[in-house]
Amino acid sequence: MIMDLTNLKWTKNITPLDNEQWAYSNYERGDLFKLNWKKNKINANKPVLPELAC
């Protein structure tokens, strides 16, 4: 399977918390979940809702 990235506008660097080996490891493949966008970061304030919707 090839992923079409034509409309990709944003990527997010995800960092594990505390002693986690992988971030979001408690989710299964295909699960939907919200990512935390820090308000005090410059680029985190740039995405607008339509760009972040599935």
Side-chain angles (χ1 to χ4, degrees):
M1 177 190 287
I2 297 174
M3 185 181 295
D4 180 7
L5 302 177
T6 304
N7 294 318
L8 180 66
K9 293 185 185 282
W10 296 96
T11 60
K12 181 158 180 16
N13 182 21
I14 298 178
T15 306
L17 297 174
D18 302 321
N19 294 325
E20 288 180 326
Q21 184 174 0
W22 294 97
Y24 299 97
S25 60
N26 54 329
Y27 293 94
E28 297 293 327
R29 182 178 179 181
D31 287 350
L32 296 178
F33 55 93
K34 294 182 178 182
L35 295 174
N36 180 30
W37 289 78
K38 295 181 180 180
K39 294 181 180 181
N40 63 344
K41 300 292 181 184
I42 294 170
N43 286 334
N45 291 324
K46 291 183 180 181
V48 292
L49 186 58
E51 294 176 346
L52 300 175
C54 308

